[in-house]
Amino acid sequence: MPRILITGGAGFLGSHLCDKFIAQGFEVIAMDNLITGNFKNIAHLTSNTNFSFFFHDVSKYIHITGKLDYILHFASPASPIDYLKIPIQTLKVGSLGTLNCLGLAKAKSARILVASTSEIYGDPLVHPQTENYWGNVNSVGPRGVYDEAKRFMEAITMAYHTFHGVETRIVRIFNTYGPRMRLNDGRALPAFIGQGLRNEPITVFGDGSQTRSFCYVDDLIEGIYRLLMSDYAQPVNIGNPHEITIKEFAEEVKSIMNLSNPIVYNPLPVDDPKQRQPDISLAKKILQWEPTIGRREGLEKTIEYFKTFSKEELYELHRTFI
Ligand code: NAD
Ligand code: UDP
């Protein structure tokens, strides 16, 4: 039975990856320090004998007994509100955490896939973003702690591949959404849905003309699985290329939830990228992958998930930040 370590396994994406690899017949070890994740995301797996959970900060030395065939390094705060609150931990998990994971991969002769991001393109001057675009990042701006950690992650991953012959994969993930996002993580979709359910105004930042391209989580997980199983070591964009302005996105959520809440316009965060859309030609070509779940279907599934929270939980979650 193949054995896989998933760092950040109790987070939004990490927990879906745990489900995927358990379903594919792997022994899964989830590792997490729960700084932005939630044990509830993986609680349903704990009775499975092929699943185990280690509470550990991956920025510190990682010790795993026995063999390891694969490592997925997904530990890192991912939402702007999170990484602005814990900037040093964010830099450490992208740098020291990645170094530890790569060292472990080398020691165990395991294949490793690291979670990079569309943020490495910064506020992009090339549109849509292809993998050979080098990006436009403000290293000392507020988002620099995340963007530069991920750029370092890519560089050291490639160095371990080139100099140590470690089998590495790099996925550049574009905005992804779905069940198990944290209602209060500050990202646009959980913010809009939470505001809808609490009957509050919908907060659009800036004039809402900035764009994003949102991918449903099941599509992303399939793309990551295919990349891990491929023999391609260069970075690959995985995301949904259907681009939308944030204002239109807020209107869409309102319409699906049947809301009459007003939209309020709050200041645009510093260095907020103006446009973002993945060019997924490479993923189509080498992984025969493209998203299959449209935004309406994905939004309906996500809204259903958030509707399962009780009123108390909706307000409690709203108050508690990391
Ligand atoms: P998340 O916050 O839900 O999950 C991250 C998980 O990592 C959490 O469970 C957190 O507790 C854990 N973690 C953080 N620091 C840790 C540390 N030092 N040691 C151990 N565990 C630690 O975020 P997510 O959306 O699931 O993102 C997962 C990964 O995917 C991140 O690396 C992120 O950069 C990347 N990514 C996500 C998106 C997206 O749209 N969700 C986009 C681009 C990249
Ligand atoms: N955004 C918004 N209102 C919110 C939260 C976010 O208008 O309550 C905007 C944010 O400024 C950005 C876009 O939505 O332009 C996507 O933000 P998110 O944090 O989800 O992802 P990222 O900026 O990392 O792509």
Side-chain angles (χ1 to χ4, degrees):
M1 176 178 271
R3 197 162 186 243
I4 187 166
L5 171 70
I6 303 179
T7 77
F12 163 46
L13 297 182
S15 63
H16 284 279
L17 287 165
C18 290
D19 286 342
K20 172 77 177 176
F21 283 89
I22 286 286
Q24 295 290 330
F26 285 61
E27 183 187 340
V28 173
I29 305 166
M31 183 171 278
D32 205 297
N33 66 355
L34 301 180
I35 195 164
T36 61
N38 191 332
F39 189 75
K40 277 189 192 163
N41 291 337
I42 46 169
H44 61 286
L45 291 173
T46 51
S47 59
N48 190 317
T49 50
N50 294 332
F51 181 80
S52 52
F53 176 72
F54 276 93
F55 180 85
H56 182 67
D57 178 348
V58 300
S59 301
K60 303 202 169 103
Y61 184 84
I62 305 170
H63 181 71
I64 298 283
T65 47
K67 73 152 186 170
L68 262 189
D69 302 294
Y70 300 96
I71 299 172
L72 297 180
H73 180 37
F74 275 66
S76 169
S79 139
I81 208 169
D82 287 345
Y83 57 74
L84 293 179
K85 273 195 171 182
I86 44 172
I88 312 291
Q89 286 99 320
T90 302
L91 280 156
K92 277 176 147 181
V93 74
S95 54
L96 301 177
T98 305
L99 175 66
N100 290 334
C101 288
L102 286 163
L104 183 65
K106 178 168 166 266
K108 301 277 185 184
S109 302
R111 182 180 296 177
I112 178 169
L113 180 149
V114 297
S116 186
T117 164
S118 51
E119 281 281 325
I120 64 107
Y121 300 120
D123 192 1
L125 305 175
V126 164
H127 193 73
Q129 291 78 55
T130 45
E131 287 85 351
N132 57 12
Y133 174 51
W134 292 351
N136 176 38
V137 170
N138 176 4
S139 60
V140 292
R143 298 171 88 104
V145 296
Y146 181 68
D147 303 3
E148 295 295 0
K150 293 291 188 179
R151 290 173 71 94
F152 175 85
M153 166 193 265
E154 290 198 1
I156 194 168
T157 298
M158 204 39 83
Y160 264 70
H161 176 67
T162 310
F163 293 100
H164 288 313
V166 173
E167 277 197 65
T168 58
R169 307 286 178 267
I170 300 173
V171 59
R172 289 185 182 154
I173 302 168
F174 283 65
N175 296 64
T176 300
Y177 68 98
R180 302 188 194 151
M181 292 186 95
R182 239 174 52 237
L183 195 62
N184 61 353
D185 82 359
R187 287 185 266 197
L189 184 59
F192 296 162
I193 297 176
Q195 288 156 354
L197 293 173
R198 290 188 302 268
N199 213 13
E200 295 167 359
I202 308 294
T203 55
V204 166
F205 298 163
D207 63 5
S209 63
Q210 71 275 29
T211 67
R212 295 293 186 272
S213 309
F214 294 95
C215 183
Y216 188 67
V217 62
D218 291 359
D219 280 331
L220 179 91
I221 298 299
E222 179 60 29
I224 289 170
Y225 183 79
R226 291 191 192 192
L227 177 59
L228 180 68
M229 295 307 160
S230 78
D231 58 4
Y232 194 78
Q234 295 294 317
V236 179
N237 289 340
I238 299 282
N240 189 318
H242 288 149
E243 191 179 358
I244 186 172
T245 69
I246 294 301
K247 184 174 183 304
E248 285 164 344
F249 191 52
E251 297 287 4
E252 204 167 88
V253 173
K254 274 184 66 175
S255 146
I256 296 173
M257 292 181 76
N258 213 2
L259 302 173
S260 54
N261 309 31
I263 290 182
V264 293
Y265 292 88
N266 289 344
L268 191 67
V270 176
D271 293 338
D272 196 286
K274 282 184 272 309
Q275 51 182 2
R276 183 180 289 158
Q277 185 201 128
D279 182 320
I280 58 165
S281 316
L282 183 63
K284 279 186 182 165
K285 186 170 155 215
I286 63 166
L287 308 176
Q288 290 76 51
W289 174 89
E290 63 182 314
T292 57
I293 298 164
R295 212 171 40 238
R296 185 166 189 103
E297 185 188 348
L299 283 176
E300 282 171 354
K301 289 183 194 210
T302 309
I303 290 164
E304 277 317 301
Y305 165 77
F306 282 114
K307 277 188 183 162
T308 61
F309 288 105
S310 67
K311 257 212 152 71
E312 290 71 33
E313 282 175 309
L314 279 181
Y315 285 91
E316 186 54 37
L317 280 168
H318 188 49
R319 279 201 305 275
T320 45
F321 284 91
I322 45 172

